Amino acid sequence: MHQNLSVSQSIVTVRNLSLMRGEYLAVDNVSFELLSGTHTAIIGPNGAGKSTLIKSILGLVEAHSGKIRLFDGTGKQLTRLKQEVGYIPQKFPFERTFPLTVSELVGLGLNNKQWWYSSKRKRKKIAQALEQVHLTKQAQQKIGTLSGGELKRVLLAYCLVVPRRLLVLDEALAGVDATGELELAALLNNLKQEHNWTILEVSHDLDLVSRYCDSVICLNRRLLYQGSPSTTLTPENLLQVYGALVSPTSHHDEPSRIPESF
Amino acid sequence: MMNPAEFLSLFSLPFMQRAVLGGVLLGVLGGILGSFLILRRLSLFGDTVGHSAMLGVVLAGLLELPATWTLIGFTVAFGLGVIYLIDRTDLGSDTVLCISLSGSIALGTIGFSYLKGYRGNLLSILFGDILAISNTDLILLFLLLAVTLAWIIISLPEQILLTLNRDLALVKGVPVRNHRYFFILLLAITIALTIRAVGILLVNGFLVIPAASARLICQQFVPFLATAAGIGAFSGVMGMVISGAIDLPSGPSIVLVQLFGFLAVALWSRQV
């Protein structure tokens, strides 16, 4: 774990970043910084460039211009540090008959050295990760038999099986049922507070964003607003971001409903 | 149908022993590489490289080069070239594969018309001859299997991850491009050696059928690979036994055993 990291340490620095999707300018001159131990949400309408932006941070999309710095690492050091990044994509297409169990998929999250651990040691780590997402019973099930929400939980367990410095989620809670959504949001909150994980997520759930995130980035190709949920998620700002009236949240003043099991 | 004594004496002949061993090695290789081939949706790729090998055979004839080495060189160059084209263009991979297949067959057919002398070897190109497997072919197959197994064992978690989801593999720092091109290299050499045994038309059966059968019955990845390799090896032996017993062509007999195995597994697992 990285509990000794200073809260002010920069995990991701984005400077004047522009990204193309084919001939189309998907992200235009965006700059921001993610500090360690913070939970940041990127919100915006469909086609705003949210997924493209996080993919570029992960090295999956090349920058048209501007710079991204991850962990201050370069070259071989960055390759090693990449093992400390967890990612849950928005879509996870695979064929239902893919011969892989839930347990095996979670085990792929172990870093390369750990994969050759004894079976007992490996099984223990996998079991712990599955327990955190309440999928212990499904451990030996084929991944093709899972529902969309269960699959998202398995992918979260894949990320939880080793300590991460950065967790990037692209609508990771979409498809999860209401109770599960709250549980997983609380789990993420715990990872941030207890283990100093930095979380960056794309979300459409403004209610959860306002409850659990420290910072919000409002994106519509350009970065329109950035700040704490209470100052950013105002009706005026949301009108500007979405181009329509959007209710920021109906639970702003309610106490957070973190289940006791977490 | 021959009597038991004749049948047993058949398998004491060196060429028959080489053929059985070759069938087993090709079955294991095809099972392992075919497992990744079908999961990565590259079945059509195997077919394209296999059929395009006709051009390689024609080139060997026109330039009077050794057939095995020319075929290996051609399938490797063609396979890597096609994957490069797929990576570099925005066209769908099936479109690139169809263009490459048509082009290579057109060139191969024209080249064939320029071949002088005896052209009766066309049938052996189309259907292969596993009974003609030489000691050199067996050594090549052993080496290829050893490299393939070493590569799979060393990088198994990376191979599974990139097969399942390329983005997750890239984020984890898996050298996706290197693995992809090395896989194509091994696959192309396997296809070249399999063509010598079973011909252009049947080569893809060795890659696809055992893996498809294993996929229907396995839940976990490593047992899936082992089962595909096992079915490949078993089909190699059974195909040779059946072809020897009732005097059928050997390569097609092996593929038929694979096919009946697949149908049995599909019925048993209620997939058809």
Side-chain angles (χ1 to χ4, degrees), chain B residues 141-224:
Chain B
L141 282 172
F142 266 119
L143 285 174
L144 187 60
L145 183 59
V147 172
T148 303
L149 286 175
W151 175 65
I152 297 284
I153 290 168
I154 290 168
S155 64
L156 185 61
E158 296 188 345
Q159 298 299 336
I160 301 173
L161 193 58
L162 82 88
T163 303
L164 183 65
N165 190 287
R166 185 175 163 274
D167 281 358
L168 281 192
L170 282 168
V171 169
K172 205 181 172 197
V174 174
V176 168
R177 181 184 284 254
N178 293 350
H179 280 317
R180 186 168 154 87
Y181 277 80
F182 194 64
F183 173 70
I184 295 301
L185 178 75
L186 293 175
L187 189 67
I189 299 173
T190 302
I191 289 173
L193 295 175
T194 310
I195 283 171
R196 297 263 300 156
V198 297
I200 286 168
L201 296 178
L202 295 176
V203 63
N204 220 30
F206 264 73
L207 295 167
V208 173
I209 303 175
S213 306
R215 188 173 169 174
L216 293 180
I217 49 176
C218 293
Q219 307 283 318
Q220 295 178 302
F221 204 90
V222 174
F224 162 64

Coordinates of all heavy atoms in Angstrom, one line a residue, chain B residues 141-224:
Chain B
L141 N 9.4 -29.6 -36.5 CA 8.1 -29.6 -35.7 C 8.5 -29.6 -34.2 O 7.8 -28.9 -33.4 CB 7.3 -30.8 -36.1 CG 6.4 -30.6 -37.4 CD1 5.8 -32.0 -37.8 CD2 5.4 -29.5 -37.2
F142 N 9.5 -30.4 -33.8 CA 9.9 -30.5 -32.4 C 10.3 -29.1 -32.0 O 10.0 -28.7 -30.9 CB 11.0 -31.5 -32.3 CG 10.5 -32.9 -31.9 CD1 10.8 -34.0 -32.7 CD2 9.8 -33.1 -30.7 CE1 10.3 -35.2 -32.3 CE2 9.4 -34.4 -30.3 CZ 9.6 -35.4 -31.2
L143 N 11.2 -28.5 -32.8 CA 11.7 -27.2 -32.4 C 10.6 -26.2 -32.3 O 10.5 -25.4 -31.3 CB 12.7 -26.7 -33.4 CG 14.1 -27.4 -33.4 CD1 14.9 -26.9 -34.6 CD2 14.8 -27.1 -32.1
L144 N 9.7 -26.2 -33.2 CA 8.6 -25.2 -33.2 C 7.7 -25.5 -32.0 O 7.3 -24.5 -31.3 CB 7.8 -25.4 -34.5 CG 6.6 -24.4 -34.8 CD1 7.2 -23.0 -34.9 CD2 5.9 -24.8 -36.1
L145 N 7.4 -26.7 -31.6 CA 6.6 -27.0 -30.5 C 7.3 -26.6 -29.2 O 6.7 -26.0 -28.3 CB 6.3 -28.5 -30.4 CG 5.4 -29.0 -29.3 CD1 4.1 -28.3 -29.3 CD2 5.2 -30.5 -29.3
A146 N 8.6 -26.8 -29.1 CA 9.4 -26.4 -27.9 C 9.3 -24.9 -27.8 O 9.1 -24.4 -26.6 CB 10.8 -26.8 -28.1
V147 N 9.5 -24.1 -28.8 CA 9.5 -22.6 -28.8 C 8.1 -22.2 -28.4 O 7.9 -21.3 -27.5 CB 9.9 -22.0 -30.1 CG1 9.7 -20.5 -30.1 CG2 11.4 -22.3 -30.4
T148 N 7.1 -22.8 -29.0 CA 5.7 -22.4 -28.7 C 5.4 -22.6 -27.2 O 4.8 -21.7 -26.6 CB 4.7 -23.2 -29.6 OG1 5.1 -23.0 -31.0 CG2 3.3 -22.8 -29.4
L149 N 5.7 -23.8 -26.7 CA 5.4 -24.1 -25.3 C 6.1 -23.2 -24.4 O 5.6 -22.7 -23.4 CB 5.8 -25.6 -25.0 CG 4.8 -26.6 -25.6 CD1 5.3 -28.0 -25.3 CD2 3.4 -26.5 -25.0
A150 N 7.4 -22.9 -24.7 CA 8.2 -22.0 -23.8 C 7.6 -20.6 -23.8 O 7.4 -20.0 -22.7 CB 9.7 -22.0 -24.3
W151 N 7.2 -20.2 -24.9 CA 6.6 -18.8 -25.1 C 5.3 -18.8 -24.3 O 5.0 -17.8 -23.6 CB 6.4 -18.5 -26.6 CG 5.8 -17.2 -26.9 CD1 6.2 -16.0 -26.6 CD2 4.5 -17.1 -27.5 NE1 5.3 -15.0 -27.0 CE2 4.3 -15.7 -27.6 CE3 3.6 -18.0 -28.1 CZ2 3.1 -15.2 -28.2 CZ3 2.5 -17.4 -28.7 CH2 2.2 -16.1 -28.8
I152 N 4.5 -19.8 -24.5 CA 3.1 -19.8 -23.8 C 3.3 -19.8 -22.3 O 2.7 -19.1 -21.5 CB 2.3 -21.0 -24.3 CG1 2.0 -20.9 -25.8 CG2 1.0 -21.1 -23.5 CD1 1.0 -19.9 -26.2
I153 N 4.2 -20.7 -21.8 CA 4.4 -20.9 -20.4 C 4.9 -19.6 -19.8 O 4.4 -19.2 -18.7 CB 5.4 -22.1 -20.1 CG1 4.6 -23.4 -20.4 CG2 5.8 -22.1 -18.6 CD1 5.6 -24.6 -20.5
I154 N 5.9 -19.0 -20.4 CA 6.5 -17.7 -19.8 C 5.5 -16.6 -19.8 O 5.4 -15.8 -18.8 CB 7.7 -17.3 -20.7 CG1 8.9 -18.3 -20.4 CG2 8.2 -15.9 -20.3 CD1 10.0 -18.2 -21.4
S155 N 4.7 -16.5 -20.8 CA 3.8 -15.3 -20.9 C 2.3 -15.6 -20.8 O 1.5 -14.9 -21.3 CB 4.1 -14.6 -22.3 OG 3.7 -15.4 -23.3
L156 N 2.0 -16.8 -20.2 CA 0.5 -17.2 -20.2 C -0.4 -16.1 -19.7 O -1.4 -15.8 -20.4 CB 0.4 -18.5 -19.4 CG -1.0 -19.1 -19.5 CD1 -1.5 -19.4 -20.9 CD2 -1.2 -20.3 -18.6
P157 N -0.2 -15.5 -18.5 CA -1.2 -14.5 -18.1 C -1.3 -13.3 -19.1 O -2.4 -12.8 -19.3 CB -0.6 -14.0 -16.7 CG 0.7 -14.6 -16.6 CD 0.9 -15.7 -17.5
E158 N -0.2 -13.0 -19.7 CA -0.2 -11.9 -20.6 C -1.0 -12.3 -21.9 O -1.8 -11.5 -22.4 CB 1.2 -11.4 -21.0 CG 2.0 -10.8 -19.9 CD 3.3 -10.2 -20.3 OE1 3.7 -10.5 -21.4 OE2 3.9 -9.5 -19.5
Q159 N -0.8 -13.5 -22.3 CA -1.5 -14.0 -23.5 C -3.0 -14.1 -23.3 O -3.8 -13.7 -24.1 CB -1.0 -15.4 -23.9 CG 0.4 -15.5 -24.2 CD 0.8 -14.7 -25.4 OE1 0.0 -14.4 -26.3 NE2 2.0 -14.3 -25.5
I160 N -3.4 -14.5 -22.1 CA -4.8 -14.6 -21.8 C -5.5 -13.2 -21.7 O -6.5 -13.0 -22.3 CB -5.1 -15.3 -20.4 CG1 -4.5 -16.8 -20.4 CG2 -6.6 -15.4 -20.1 CD1 -4.6 -17.5 -19.1
L161 N -4.7 -12.3 -21.1 CA -5.3 -10.9 -20.9 C -5.5 -10.3 -22.3 O -6.5 -9.6 -22.5 CB -4.4 -10.1 -20.0 CG -5.0 -8.8 -19.5 CD1 -6.3 -9.1 -18.7 CD2 -4.0 -8.1 -18.6
L162 N -4.4 -10.4 -23.1 CA -4.6 -9.7 -24.4 C -5.6 -10.4 -25.3 O -6.2 -9.7 -26.2 CB -3.2 -9.5 -25.1 CG -2.5 -10.6 -25.9 CD1 -3.0 -10.5 -27.3 CD2 -1.0 -10.4 -25.8
T163 N -5.8 -11.7 -25.1 CA -6.8 -12.4 -25.8 C -8.2 -11.9 -25.4 O -9.1 -11.7 -26.2 CB -6.7 -13.9 -25.6 OG1 -5.4 -14.3 -26.0 CG2 -7.7 -14.7 -26.5
L164 N -8.3 -11.7 -24.1 CA -9.6 -11.3 -23.5 C -10.0 -9.8 -23.8 O -11.1 -9.5 -24.2 CB -9.6 -11.5 -22.0 CG -10.9 -11.2 -21.2 CD1 -12.0 -12.2 -21.7 CD2 -10.7 -11.4 -19.7
N165 N -9.0 -8.9 -23.5 CA -9.3 -7.5 -23.7 C -7.9 -6.8 -24.0 O -7.1 -6.7 -23.0 CB -10.0 -6.9 -22.5 CG -10.5 -5.5 -22.8 OD1 -9.7 -4.6 -22.8 ND2 -11.8 -5.4 -22.9
R166 N -7.8 -6.3 -25.2 CA -6.5 -5.6 -25.6 C -6.2 -4.4 -24.7 O -5.1 -4.2 -24.3 CB -6.6 -5.2 -27.0 CG -5.4 -4.7 -27.7 CD -5.6 -4.5 -29.2 NE -4.6 -3.6 -29.7 CZ -4.7 -2.2 -29.7 NH1 -5.8 -1.7 -29.2 NH2 -3.8 -1.5 -30.2
D167 N -7.2 -3.6 -24.4 CA -7.0 -2.4 -23.6 C -6.5 -2.7 -22.2 O -5.6 -2.0 -21.7 CB -8.3 -1.6 -23.5 CG -8.6 -0.8 -24.8 OD1 -7.7 -0.9 -25.7 OD2 -9.6 -0.1 -24.9
L168 N -7.1 -3.7 -21.6 CA -6.7 -4.1 -20.2 C -5.2 -4.5 -20.3 O -4.4 -4.2 -19.4 CB -7.5 -5.2 -19.6 CG -8.9 -4.9 -19.1 CD1 -9.4 -6.1 -18.3 CD2 -8.9 -3.7 -18.1
A169 N -4.8 -5.2 -21.3 CA -3.5 -5.7 -21.5 C -2.5 -4.5 -21.7 O -1.4 -4.4 -21.0 CB -3.4 -6.7 -22.6
L170 N -2.9 -3.6 -22.5 CA -2.1 -2.4 -22.7 C -1.9 -1.6 -21.5 O -0.8 -1.2 -21.2 CB -2.7 -1.5 -23.8 CG -2.5 -2.0 -25.3 CD1 -3.4 -1.2 -26.2 CD2 -1.0 -1.9 -25.7
V171 N -3.0 -1.4 -20.7 CA -2.9 -0.6 -19.5 C -1.9 -1.3 -18.5 O -1.2 -0.6 -17.8 CB -4.3 -0.4 -18.9 CG1 -4.2 0.2 -17.5 CG2 -5.1 0.5 -19.7
K172 N -1.9 -2.6 -18.5 CA -1.0 -3.4 -17.6 C 0.4 -3.4 -18.0 O 1.3 -3.9 -17.3 CB -1.6 -4.8 -17.4 CG -1.2 -5.4 -16.1 CD -1.7 -6.8 -16.0 CE -1.0 -7.4 -14.7 NZ -1.2 -8.9 -14.7
G173 N 0.7 -2.8 -19.2 CA 2.1 -2.8 -19.7 C 2.5 -4.0 -20.5 O 3.7 -4.3 -20.7
V174 N 1.5 -4.8 -20.9 CA 1.8 -6.0 -21.7 C 2.3 -5.6 -23.1 O 1.6 -4.7 -23.7 CB 0.5 -6.9 -21.9 CG1 0.8 -8.1 -22.8 CG2 0.1 -7.4 -20.5
P175 N 3.4 -6.1 -23.6 CA 3.9 -5.7 -25.0 C 3.0 -6.4 -26.0 O 3.4 -7.4 -26.7 CB 5.3 -6.3 -25.0 CG 5.3 -7.4 -24.0 CD 4.3 -7.1 -23.0
V176 N 1.8 -5.8 -26.2 CA 0.8 -6.4 -27.1 C 1.3 -6.6 -28.5 O 1.1 -7.7 -29.1 CB -0.5 -5.5 -27.0 CG1 -1.5 -5.9 -28.1 CG2 -1.2 -5.6 -25.7
R177 N 1.9 -5.6 -29.1 CA 2.3 -5.7 -30.5 C 3.3 -6.8 -30.7 O 3.2 -7.6 -31.6 CB 2.9 -4.4 -30.9 CG 3.4 -4.3 -32.4 CD 4.0 -3.0 -32.7 NE 3.0 -2.0 -32.9 CZ 2.7 -1.5 -34.1 NH1 3.3 -2.0 -35.1 NH2 1.8 -0.6 -34.2
N178 N 4.3 -6.9 -29.7 CA 5.3 -8.0 -29.9 C 4.7 -9.3 -29.8 O 5.0 -10.2 -30.6 CB 6.4 -7.8 -28.7 CG 7.2 -6.6 -28.9 OD1 7.1 -5.9 -29.9 ND2 8.0 -6.2 -27.9
H179 N 3.8 -9.5 -28.8 CA 3.1 -10.8 -28.7 C 2.3 -11.1 -29.9 O 2.3 -12.3 -30.4 CB 2.2 -10.8 -27.5 CG 2.9 -11.0 -26.1 ND1 3.9 -11.9 -26.0 CD2 2.8 -10.4 -24.9 CE1 4.3 -11.9 -24.7 NE2 3.7 -11.0 -24.1
R180 N 1.7 -10.1 -30.4 CA 0.8 -10.4 -31.6 C 1.6 -10.8 -32.8 O 1.3 -11.8 -33.5 CB 0.1 -9.0 -31.9 CG -1.0 -9.0 -33.0 CD -1.7 -7.7 -32.9 NE -2.3 -7.3 -34.1 CZ -3.5 -7.7 -34.5 NH1 -4.2 -8.5 -33.8 NH2 -4.0 -7.3 -35.6
Y181 N 2.7 -10.1 -33.1 CA 3.5 -10.5 -34.2 C 4.3 -11.8 -34.0 O 4.4 -12.6 -35.0 CB 4.5 -9.3 -34.5 CG 3.9 -8.2 -35.4 CD1 3.1 -7.3 -34.8 CD2 4.0 -8.2 -36.7 CE1 2.5 -6.3 -35.5 CE2 3.4 -7.2 -37.5 CZ 2.6 -6.2 -36.9 OH 2.0 -5.2 -37.6
F182 N 4.7 -12.1 -32.8 CA 5.3 -13.4 -32.6 C 4.4 -14.5 -32.7 O 4.7 -15.6 -33.3 CB 6.0 -13.4 -31.2 CG 6.9 -14.5 -31.0 CD1 8.1 -14.6 -31.7 CD2 6.7 -15.6 -30.1 CE1 9.0 -15.7 -31.6 CE2 7.6 -16.6 -29.9 CZ 8.7 -16.7 -30.7
F183 N 3.1 -14.3 -32.3 CA 2.1 -15.3 -32.5 C 1.9 -15.6 -34.0 O 1.8 -16.8 -34.4 CB 0.8 -14.8 -31.8 CG -0.4 -15.7 -32.1 CD1 -0.5 -17.0 -31.5 CD2 -1.4 -15.3 -32.9 CE1 -1.6 -17.8 -31.8 CE2 -2.5 -16.1 -33.2 CZ -2.6 -17.4 -32.6
I184 N 1.8 -14.5 -34.8 CA 1.6 -14.7 -36.2 C 2.8 -15.4 -36.8 O 2.6 -16.3 -37.7 CB 1.4 -13.3 -36.9 CG1 0.1 -12.6 -36.4 CG2 1.4 -13.4 -38.4 CD1 -1.1 -13.4 -36.7
L185 N 4.0 -15.2 -36.3 CA 5.2 -15.8 -36.8 C 5.1 -17.4 -36.6 O 5.3 -18.2 -37.5 CB 6.4 -15.3 -36.1 CG 7.8 -15.9 -36.5 CD1 8.3 -15.4 -37.8 CD2 8.8 -15.5 -35.4
L186 N 4.8 -17.7 -35.3 CA 4.6 -19.2 -35.0 C 3.5 -19.8 -35.8 O 3.6 -20.9 -36.3 CB 4.3 -19.3 -33.5 CG 5.5 -19.0 -32.5 CD1 5.0 -19.1 -31.1 CD2 6.7 -19.8 -32.7
L187 N 2.4 -19.1 -35.9 CA 1.3 -19.6 -36.7 C 1.6 -19.8 -38.1 O 1.2 -20.9 -38.7 CB 0.1 -18.6 -36.5 CG -1.2 -19.0 -37.0 CD1 -1.8 -20.1 -36.2 CD2 -2.2 -17.8 -37.0
A188 N 2.3 -18.9 -38.7 CA 2.6 -19.0 -40.2 C 3.6 -20.2 -40.4 O 3.4 -20.9 -41.4 CB 3.3 -17.7 -40.6
I189 N 4.5 -20.4 -39.5 CA 5.4 -21.6 -39.7 C 4.7 -22.9 -39.5 O 4.8 -23.8 -40.3 CB 6.6 -21.5 -38.7 CG1 7.4 -20.2 -38.9 CG2 7.5 -22.7 -38.8 CD1 8.5 -20.0 -37.9
T190 N 3.8 -22.9 -38.5 CA 2.9 -24.1 -38.3 C 2.1 -24.3 -39.5 O 2.0 -25.5 -39.9 CB 2.0 -23.9 -37.1 OG1 2.8 -23.6 -35.9 CG2 1.2 -25.1 -36.8
I191 N 1.5 -23.3 -40.1 CA 0.7 -23.5 -41.3 C 1.5 -24.1 -42.4 O 1.1 -25.0 -43.1 CB 0.0 -22.2 -41.7 CG1 -1.1 -21.8 -40.7 CG2 -0.6 -22.3 -43.1 CD1 -1.7 -20.4 -40.9
A192 N 2.7 -23.5 -42.6 CA 3.6 -24.0 -43.7 C 3.9 -25.5 -43.5 O 3.8 -26.3 -44.5 CB 4.9 -23.2 -43.7
L193 N 4.2 -25.9 -42.3 CA 4.5 -27.3 -42.0 C 3.3 -28.2 -42.1 O 3.4 -29.4 -42.5 CB 5.2 -27.5 -40.7 CG 6.6 -26.8 -40.6 CD1 7.1 -26.9 -39.2 CD2 7.6 -27.5 -41.6
T194 N 2.1 -27.7 -41.7 CA 0.9 -28.5 -41.8 C 0.5 -28.7 -43.2 O 0.0 -29.7 -43.6 CB -0.2 -27.8 -41.0 OG1 0.3 -27.4 -39.7 CG2 -1.4 -28.7 -40.8
I195 N 0.7 -27.7 -44.1 CA 0.4 -27.8 -45.5 C 1.1 -29.0 -46.1 O 0.6 -29.7 -46.9 CB 0.7 -26.5 -46.3 CG1 -0.4 -25.4 -45.9 CG2 0.7 -26.7 -47.8 CD1 -0.1 -24.1 -46.4
R196 N 2.4 -29.1 -45.8 CA 3.2 -30.3 -46.3 C 2.5 -31.6 -46.0 O 2.5 -32.5 -46.8 CB 4.6 -30.3 -45.7 CG 5.4 -29.1 -46.0 CD 6.3 -29.3 -47.1 NE 7.3 -30.3 -46.8 CZ 7.9 -31.0 -47.8 NH1 7.6 -30.8 -49.0 NH2 8.7 -32.0 -47.5
A197 N 1.8 -31.6 -44.8 CA 1.2 -32.9 -44.4 C -0.3 -33.1 -44.9 O -0.7 -34.1 -45.3 CB 1.2 -33.0 -42.9
V198 N -1.1 -32.0 -44.8 CA -2.5 -32.2 -45.1 C -3.0 -31.3 -46.3 O -4.2 -31.3 -46.6 CB -3.4 -31.9 -43.9 CG1 -3.1 -33.0 -42.8 CG2 -3.3 -30.5 -43.3
G199 N -2.1 -30.4 -46.8 CA -2.5 -29.6 -47.9 C -3.2 -28.3 -47.6 O -3.6 -28.0 -46.5
I200 N -3.3 -27.5 -48.6 CA -3.9 -26.1 -48.5 C -5.3 -26.1 -48.0 O -5.7 -25.3 -47.2 CB -3.7 -25.4 -49.9 CG1 -2.3 -25.0 -50.1 CG2 -4.6 -24.2 -49.9 CD1 -2.0 -24.6 -51.5
L201 N -6.1 -27.1 -48.6 CA -7.5 -27.1 -48.3 C -7.9 -27.5 -46.9 O -8.9 -27.1 -46.4 CB -8.2 -28.0 -49.3 CG -8.1 -27.5 -50.8 CD1 -8.8 -28.5 -51.7 CD2 -8.7 -26.1 -51.0
L202 N -7.1 -28.3 -46.3 CA -7.4 -28.8 -45.0 C -6.7 -28.2 -43.8 O -7.0 -28.5 -42.6 CB -7.3 -30.3 -44.9 CG -8.1 -31.1 -45.9 CD1 -7.8 -32.6 -45.9 CD2 -9.6 -30.9 -45.5
V203 N -5.7 -27.3 -44.1 CA -4.8 -26.8 -43.0 C -5.6 -26.2 -41.9 O -5.3 -26.4 -40.7 CB -3.8 -25.9 -43.6 CG1 -4.4 -24.6 -44.2 CG2 -2.8 -25.5 -42.6
N204 N -6.6 -25.4 -42.2 CA -7.3 -24.7 -41.2 C -8.1 -25.6 -40.2 O -8.3 -25.3 -39.1 CB -8.3 -23.7 -41.8 CG -8.3 -22.4 -41.0 OD1 -7.2 -22.0 -40.4 ND2 -9.4 -21.6 -41.0
G205 N -8.4 -26.8 -40.7 CA -9.1 -27.8 -39.8 C -8.2 -28.1 -38.6 O -8.7 -28.2 -37.5
F206 N -6.9 -28.3 -38.8 CA -6.0 -28.6 -37.8 C -6.0 -27.5 -36.7 O -5.7 -27.8 -35.5 CB -4.6 -28.8 -38.3 CG -4.2 -30.2 -38.6 CD1 -4.8 -30.9 -39.6 CD2 -3.3 -30.9 -37.8 CE1 -4.5 -32.2 -39.9 CE2 -3.0 -32.2 -38.0 CZ -3.6 -32.9 -39.1
L207 N -6.2 -26.3 -37.2 CA -6.1 -25.1 -36.2 C -7.4 -24.9 -35.5 O -7.5 -24.6 -34.3 CB -5.7 -23.9 -37.0 CG -4.3 -23.9 -37.6 CD1 -4.2 -22.7 -38.6 CD2 -3.2 -23.8 -36.5
V208 N -8.5 -25.0 -36.2 CA -9.8 -24.6 -35.7 C -10.6 -25.7 -35.0 O -11.1 -25.5 -33.9 CB -10.7 -24.0 -36.8 CG1 -12.1 -23.6 -36.3 CG2 -10.0 -22.7 -37.4
I209 N -10.6 -26.9 -35.6 CA -11.6 -27.9 -35.0 C -11.2 -28.4 -33.6 O -12.1 -28.4 -32.7 CB -11.7 -29.1 -36.0 CG1 -12.2 -28.6 -37.4 CG2 -12.8 -30.1 -35.5 CD1 -12.3 -29.7 -38.5
P210 N -10.0 -28.8 -33.3 CA -9.7 -29.2 -31.9 C -10.0 -28.1 -30.9 O -10.5 -28.4 -29.8 CB -8.2 -29.6 -32.0 CG -7.9 -29.9 -33.4 CD -8.8 -29.0 -34.2
A211 N -9.6 -26.9 -31.2 CA -9.8 -25.8 -30.3 C -11.3 -25.5 -30.1 O -11.7 -25.2 -29.0 CB -9.1 -24.5 -30.8
A212 N -12.0 -25.6 -31.2 CA -13.5 -25.4 -31.1 C -14.1 -26.4 -30.2 O -15.0 -26.1 -29.4 CB -14.1 -25.3 -32.5
S213 N -13.7 -27.7 -30.4 CA -14.3 -28.8 -29.5 C -13.9 -28.5 -28.1 O -14.8 -28.6 -27.2 CB -13.6 -30.1 -30.0 OG -13.8 -30.3 -31.3
A214 N -12.7 -28.2 -27.8 CA -12.3 -27.9 -26.4 C -13.0 -26.8 -25.8 O -13.4 -26.8 -24.6 CB -10.8 -27.7 -26.3
R215 N -13.3 -25.8 -26.6 CA -14.0 -24.6 -26.1 C -15.4 -24.9 -25.6 O -15.9 -24.3 -24.7 CB -14.1 -23.6 -27.2 CG -14.6 -22.2 -26.8 CD -14.4 -21.3 -27.9 NE -15.1 -20.0 -27.7 CZ -15.1 -19.0 -28.4 NH1 -14.4 -19.0 -29.5 NH2 -15.8 -17.9 -28.1
L216 N -16.0 -25.9 -26.2 CA -17.4 -26.3 -25.9 C -17.5 -27.0 -24.5 O -18.5 -27.0 -23.9 CB -18.0 -27.2 -26.9 CG -18.3 -26.6 -28.3 CD1 -18.9 -27.6 -29.2 CD2 -19.2 -25.4 -28.2
I217 N -16.3 -27.6 -24.1 CA -16.4 -28.4 -22.8 C -15.6 -27.8 -21.7 O -15.7 -28.3 -20.6 CB -16.0 -29.8 -23.1 CG1 -14.7 -29.9 -23.9 CG2 -17.1 -30.6 -23.8 CD1 -14.2 -31.4 -24.1
C218 N -14.7 -26.8 -21.9 CA -13.9 -26.4 -20.8 C -14.3 -25.1 -20.2 O -14.8 -24.2 -20.9 CB -12.4 -26.2 -21.4 SG -11.7 -27.8 -21.8
Q219 N -14.2 -25.0 -18.9 CA -14.5 -23.8 -18.2 C -13.3 -22.9 -17.9 O -13.4 -21.7 -17.9 CB -15.1 -24.2 -16.8 CG -16.2 -25.2 -16.8 CD -17.5 -24.5 -17.2 OE1 -17.8 -23.4 -16.7 NE2 -18.3 -25.2 -18.0
Q220 N -12.1 -23.6 -17.7 CA -10.9 -22.8 -17.4 C -9.9 -22.8 -18.5 O -10.0 -23.7 -19.4 CB -10.3 -23.5 -16.2 CG -11.2 -23.4 -14.9 CD -10.5 -24.0 -13.7 OE1 -10.2 -25.2 -13.8 NE2 -10.3 -23.3 -12.7
F221 N -9.0 -21.8 -18.5 CA -8.2 -21.6 -19.7 C -7.1 -22.7 -19.9 O -6.9 -23.2 -21.0 CB -7.5 -20.2 -19.6 CG -7.1 -19.7 -20.9 CD1 -8.0 -18.9 -21.7 CD2 -5.9 -20.0 -21.5 CE1 -7.6 -18.5 -22.9 CE2 -5.5 -19.6 -22.7 CZ -6.4 -18.8 -23.5
V222 N -6.3 -23.0 -18.8 CA -5.3 -24.0 -19.0 C -5.8 -25.4 -19.4 O -5.3 -26.0 -20.4 CB -4.4 -24.1 -17.8 CG1 -3.3 -25.2 -17.9 CG2 -3.7 -22.7 -17.5
P223 N -6.9 -25.9 -18.8 CA -7.5 -27.1 -19.2 C -8.0 -27.0 -20.7 O -7.9 -28.0 -21.4 CB -8.7 -27.3 -18.3 CG -8.3 -26.6 -17.0 CD -7.5 -25.4 -17.5
F224 N -8.4 -25.8 -21.1 CA -8.9 -25.6 -22.5 C -7.7 -25.8 -23.4 O -7.8 -26.6 -24.4 CB -9.4 -24.2 -22.6 CG -9.5 -23.6 -24.0 CD1 -10.3 -24.2 -24.9 CD2 -8.8 -22.5 -24.3 CE1 -10.4 -23.7 -26.2 CE2 -8.9 -22.0 -25.6 CZ -9.7 -22.6 -26.6

